[in-house]
């Protein structure tokens, strides 16, 4: 599985947009980029997955440039409840083994 | 509740004791995974079941750890002769098959004293 690098922590305020960039220089051709969210005392939760360009759902947007060596998770208008750890994962859709790094701790303040 | 259920939510045991951690996956999910998460780190893969068989147990740290899934549904993670270093949150996840999206339970926090 490709190694990923993401910031250890980010601070934000309610109502702001939060962008978390993940580097994955060794991404393989058939690899997808997946983001998970983890609240304290809970297991990780899938939030979005993409292969190229842009993917949007009701929770977030994922931007992937043409070279796919990085990706950016965008959380629009965050609230206090978005405080969590966000993990960037890279792998084939057939990979059953998820490889989590340390993630990015996002803290949203009032 | 249609989610992955793990019991107990918390377990405190003495060093050297045996423990069992239970996972009830989402009904119909054929794939089941166990992960272990230490404080401040992301989850680490332990074992993967496809149906009743362990397709990959390469993440189990040593032979004190064992997991079963006898009927292809509920799974039990068993730890013998527990050590203080086994203290962590043990997470179970399930998925419909070979997919990246896994659904996690809330975990069992194991503390070995």
């Amino acid at each position: 599985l490709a190694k990923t690098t993401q910031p250890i922590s980010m601070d934000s305020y309610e109502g702001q947009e939060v962008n978390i960039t993940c580097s994955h220089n060794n991404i393989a051709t058939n690899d997808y980029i997946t983001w998970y969210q983890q609240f304290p005392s809970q297991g990780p939760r899938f939030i979005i997955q993409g292969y190229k360009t842009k993917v949007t759902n009701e929770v977030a947007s994922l931007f992937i440039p043409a070279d796919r060596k990085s990706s950016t998770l965008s959380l629009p208008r965050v609230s206090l409840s978005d405080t969590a750890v966000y993990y960037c994962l890279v792998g084939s859709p057939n990979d059953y083994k998820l490889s989590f790094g340390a993630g990015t701790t996002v803290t949203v303040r009032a | 509740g249609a989610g992955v259920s793990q019991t107990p939510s918390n377990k405190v045991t003495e060093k050297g004791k045996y423990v069992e951690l239970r996972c009830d996956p989402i009904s119909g999910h054929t794939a089941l995974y166990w992960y272990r998460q230490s404080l401040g780190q992301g989850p680490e893969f332990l074992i993967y079941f496809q149906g009743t068989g362990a397709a990959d147990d390469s993440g189990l740290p040593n032979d004190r750890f064992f997991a079963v899934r006898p009927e292809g549904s509920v799974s039990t993670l068993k730890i013998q002769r527990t050590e203080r270093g086994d203290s962590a949150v043990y997470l179970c996840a399930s998925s419909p098959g070979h997919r990246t999206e896994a659904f996690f339970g809330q975990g069992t926090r194991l503390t070995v004293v």
Side-chain angles (χ1 to χ4, degrees):
Chain A
L1 297 172
K3 179 180 172 64
T4 61
T5 303
Q6 52 183 121
I8 294 173
S9 64
M10 297 182 71
D11 287 347
S12 184
Y13 290 92
E14 286 189 291
Q16 291 189 333
E17 179 181 81
V18 172
N19 296 306
I20 310 170
T21 296
C22 177
S23 297
H24 29 79
N25 291 319
N26 298 322
I27 190 169
T29 303
N30 59 344
D31 283 344
Y32 279 69
I33 299 145
T34 308
W35 286 80
Y36 279 79
Q37 173 191 55
Q38 185 175 25
F39 297 115
S41 301
Q42 294 189 25
R45 179 177 76 110
F46 171 94
I47 50 176
I48 199 165
Q49 181 183 73
Y51 183 79
K52 63 179 180 180
T53 63
K54 177 183 175 182
V55 179
T56 297
N57 61 23
E58 66 278 4
V59 177
S61 294
L62 179 59
F63 299 91
I64 306 167
D67 66 6
R68 303 198 331 120
K69 293 184 183 299
S70 67
S71 58
T72 299
L73 176 74
S74 180
L75 306 172
R77 297 177 301 281
V78 294
S79 64
L80 297 175
S81 62
D82 292 314
T83 293
V85 179
Y86 292 83
Y87 297 97
C88 168
L89 289 78
V90 171
S92 161
N94 288 326
D95 286 337
Y96 52 81
K97 191 184 299 187
L98 300 178
S99 181
F100 292 85
T104 297
T105 299
V106 172
T107 303
V108 180
R109 306 180 192 280
Chain B
V4 176
S5 176
Q6 292 187 246
T7 54
S9 55
N10 282 284
K11 176 71 176 179
V12 180
T13 190
E14 292 180 348
K15 179 177 178 294
K17 298 291 188 182
Y18 167 84
V19 296
E20 291 189 350
L21 311 180
R22 177 187 169 103
C23 173
D24 283 83
I26 293 172
S27 177
H29 281 192
T30 58
L32 185 145
Y33 320 80
W34 284 97
Y35 287 78
R36 179 168 73 172
Q37 186 170 25
S38 299
L39 191 63
Q41 299 182 21
E44 293 179 299
F45 170 82
L46 294 177
I47 188 169
Y48 158 63
F49 287 90
Q50 183 58 249
T52 61
D56 183 348
D57 64 358
S58 63
L60 295 178
N62 51 60
D63 61 6
R64 295 187 296 105
F65 288 74
F66 189 71
V68 296
R69 194 186 185 198
E71 298 178 356
S73 178
V74 171
S75 176
T76 305
L77 178 65
K78 308 180 181 194
I79 310 174
Q80 298 177 322
R81 305 182 303 281
T82 52
E83 299 177 357
R84 292 195 178 88
D86 298 335
S87 296
V89 175
Y90 289 81
L91 294 162
C92 177
S94 68
S95 66
H98 259 78
R99 295 183 58 180
T100 304
E101 181 179 354
F103 297 83
F104 283 82
Q106 292 191 322
T108 293
R109 180 176 298 279
L110 175 67
T111 303
V112 182
V113 297

